[in-house]
Amino acid sequence: MTVYVDDMNMRADVPNGARTVRGIWSHMFADTREELDAMADTIGLRRSWIQYPGTHREHYDVTKSRRAAALRAGAVELPIRSPEWMALRKRKRAEYGMEPRP
């Protein structure tokens, strides 16, 4: 079982209460929710920040510095357009009973 970070590297300003977090953002996702939450705890993310919880799309958005922290903590870099990324997304869709995309 593994935690992954992609290489989306999208510039964005994200509201967080009274402040805005400016950064370069990627996704952190995992084989299981338990692994994903454990890594979030390790790198200092709030569990309430999870995106699409309980679905095949569940992930955390991570800034460049949190992405680097996840990699140092053992996450695996998975390029967003790689065959491995596509296979993982297909497997996650199947786990949640979703039809494969054409």
Side-chain angles (χ1 to χ4, degrees):
M1 299 295 172
T2 307
V3 176
Y4 308 92
V5 290
D6 68 23
D7 59 350
M8 186 175 72
N9 296 321
M10 184 175 97
R11 290 189 181 274
D13 297 342
V14 177
N16 182 9
R19 67 186 189 103
T20 298
V21 179
R22 290 191 166 156
I24 298 173
W25 297 82
S26 294
H27 302 109
M28 182 176 76
F29 47 101
D31 289 325
T32 68
R33 174 69 181 268
E34 292 76 21
E35 292 171 303
L36 184 59
D37 285 340
M39 182 63 80
D41 293 344
T42 297
I43 66 170
L45 299 179
R46 293 183 191 158
R47 288 189 181 192
S48 63
W49 292 344
I50 194 163
Q51 304 289 306
Y52 305 102
T55 74
H56 70 283
R57 297 175 61 195
E58 73 186 359
H59 69 276
Y60 286 92
D61 291 338
V62 291
T63 59
K64 191 173 183 177
S65 64
R66 294 298 90 204
R67 181 181 185 277
L71 289 169
R72 285 191 304 272
V76 173
E77 188 170 26
L78 194 60
I80 201 165
R81 299 289 179 218
S82 68
E84 295 84 3
W85 186 89
M86 299 294 194
L88 177 64
R89 301 308 301 156
K90 184 177 179 179
R91 181 175 55 78
K92 294 292 274 187
R93 287 181 63 81
E95 284 175 10
Y96 283 88
M98 308 279 303
E99 292 293 322
R101 290 187 177 210

